[in-house]
Amino acid sequence: MTILERLAELGVELPAVVAPLAAYVPAVRTGTLVYTSGQLPMIDGELPKAGKVGAEVTAEEAKDLARTCALNALAAVHALVGVDSVVRVVKVVGFVASAPGFNGQPGVVNGASQLLGDVFGDAGVHARSAVGVSELPLNAPVEVELIVEVA
């Protein structure tokens, strides 16, 4: 089964690549690795929820937004090399705009990690960082970037 078939089986469709907000590209390949730029949880060009996790945004909402970020990152990979060329998810870095006292960043970034595991199975098991930050672009609650190995 291809990755695109697996996505369809999960009822997931890759979105269009999110247009960069500044002077960068969505993804770059070097050798067998593809690095994505940080992806916000944009849906149809809009940020569905803004604010700090633990204040305006609940941890569960942020977890769903992290999943959206991962889908946007996969869309960037797909536009560059085709998602079916991914042989392994190497690393996920998640940034969570956190209200004072919020320390549930790992649970939020699980939204991205769980999606990647569902899509890629054992090849989706990855190294990861989940970092709390004070601000993200556009007042986004979460941002995710990927490093994947491709054939």
Side-chain angles (χ1 to χ4, degrees):
M1 175 180 298
T2 69
I3 297 304
L4 287 174
E5 290 169 342
R6 178 68 181 141
L7 285 164
E9 183 180 80
L10 292 169
V12 175
E13 188 175 319
L14 286 178
V17 177
V18 176
L21 299 176
Y24 61 89
V25 295
V28 173
R29 179 179 182 165
T30 181
T32 61
L33 297 176
V34 172
Y35 292 75
T36 71
S37 295
Q39 299 292 314
L40 301 179
M42 304 294 272
I43 298 175
D44 297 326
E46 301 290 326
L47 193 62
K49 188 89 177 175
K52 303 276 189 291
V53 181
E56 301 88 358
V57 180
T58 68
E60 198 57 37
E61 289 171 322
K63 183 178 178 182
D64 289 341
L65 294 170
R67 182 181 186 278
T68 300
C69 292
L71 279 173
N72 288 341
L74 289 178
V77 171
H78 186 61
L80 184 66
V81 297
V83 75
D84 284 319
S85 69
V86 174
V87 292
R88 172 160 200 82
V89 179
V90 177
K91 180 141 189 202
V92 172
V93 180
F95 301 96
V96 181
S98 302
F102 180 77
N103 59 10
Q105 293 84 4
V108 168
V109 181
N110 276 348
S113 294
Q114 290 167 347
L115 172 76
L116 296 167
D118 290 345
V119 172
F120 295 101
D122 289 343
V125 177
H126 52 269
R128 189 180 88 177
S129 299
V131 182
V133 298
S134 62
E135 296 286 336
L136 287 170
L138 304 179
N139 198 26
V142 64
E143 179 175 340
V144 172
E145 61 185 51
L146 302 180
I147 302 170
V148 298
E149 181 183 3
V150 295

